[in-house]
Amino acid sequence: NEEYRYGFPRMIDWYNTKQISSIANLYNRKRVMVEAMGGGGYTIPLEEYRYGFSMLGAYGINMFIPHLFHYEMNTPESQSDWPPSWFFRNPYWKYFKPLADFGSRISFMISQGDEVCDVAVLYPLTGAWEGGYPDKSDDTFYKDVQQNLIDNHINYNVIDPESLVKATIADEKIVAGKGKYSILVLPEIQPIRTEAIAQIERFVENGGMVIALKGLPSLSELGPTGDELVNSTVKKLFGIKASDLRQQEYYHWNADKTKHYISKSNPEGGTAYFSRFLAELPEMIHSRINPDLQVLSENAGFFHFNHHRIDNIESYLFVNDRNSAEKYRISIRETGTPSI
């Protein structure tokens, strides 16, 4: 929670939280734990901690460790170590149970059933390896893709190349751990493992959908022979390869000049999309799936949610990220009898 500790106004960001909740789904873990709300100081209102638990839950965290409980306060270190101390010497202590109960309810709710998530984003790990130590890879676009999905209320999980390779392809989905993904997004992936591009090809051949943004894979871990394999597979999937994108004026439009993206489909219903423009991502995704959730409000970007399926029950956690009351009109694709 570094952004909560060091930033102001305090906030819970999606970046770290979505990465670790994704890992939990990939490895079939029921609990996703974080040390939470450290460094808030002694003057922070309890409502901000309530907000913190809520937002962590919206991003898939379901086990909270409030930082921290000092058994004694008789040393400078214990008095000043990332306050507050939650224990009995804190004036808040008599109000802690309602807050703890609130966090417990979220923790229980988010740990039941399986998260509903249609989209996987390929973690650009191979790109991080490419430069070698101590080279630092630029993950700006990788973050931008996730921000776009969050802003448009499209839930996603990150999937690393190894997990993608080990995944099962079934019923037009990538089945990896608890996740069943209909769509795979490649955020400007250039180097890619040959096993990973082969798995993507199998996914599309079985009716899946892959979206490449800004660039196309062109390099492998096997040198020129592997590069040739990657490029030929990309050409087969997308109809173009990375070297075709050198001139910026090419591939801004589809053939009919009606969309700012191109697509190539196969008889099995599998489709590969490419766009230079991140703004096209939601439309491409919704060409395949109905939105899980839509929000109408001038402040819709402040609405966050978590959707779990528990047997035959659709369970949603809705969170208003504003420090003021808001009205949101929401539409969900699931039908049934609602209760709160």
Side-chain angles (χ1 to χ4, degrees), residues 223-336:
T225 303
D227 297 351
E228 184 178 345
L229 174 62
V230 168
N231 282 280
S232 62
T233 304
V234 167
K235 178 79 172 182
K236 178 182 176 182
L237 289 172
F238 296 90
I240 56 174
K241 55 186 179 180
S243 59
D244 297 329
L245 302 175
R246 285 176 296 177
Q247 293 175 288
Q248 289 295 315
E249 64 269 23
Y250 289 163
Y251 303 109
H252 276 205
W253 300 84
N254 61 347
D256 298 325
K257 284 198 172 183
T258 56
K259 304 291 183 183
H260 277 291
Y261 55 81
I262 64 172
S263 63
K264 185 174 183 291
S265 299
N266 59 34
E268 290 73 29
T271 308
Y273 284 82
F274 169 76
S275 180
R276 292 183 183 272
F277 308 107
L278 176 55
E280 300 298 315
L281 180 57
E283 183 178 338
M284 289 186 286
I285 288 173
H286 292 148
S287 70
R288 169 58 64 101
I289 58 170
N290 291 327
D292 185 17
L293 181 141
Q294 292 179 295
V295 183
L296 293 178
S297 168
E298 63 176 329
N299 292 319
F302 292 97
F303 184 93
H304 299 278
F305 76 105
N306 183 284
H307 178 190
H308 269 64
R309 182 168 293 125
I310 307 168
D311 297 326
N312 62 342
I313 296 173
E314 306 297 329
S315 173
Y316 296 85
L317 170 65
F318 295 151
V319 181
N320 171 29
D321 193 18
R322 294 271 283 178
N323 193 24
S324 61
E326 291 289 336
K327 288 186 177 180
Y328 301 101
R329 287 177 61 95
I330 65 169
S331 173
I332 58 178
R333 71 182 173 201
E334 305 297 342
T335 58

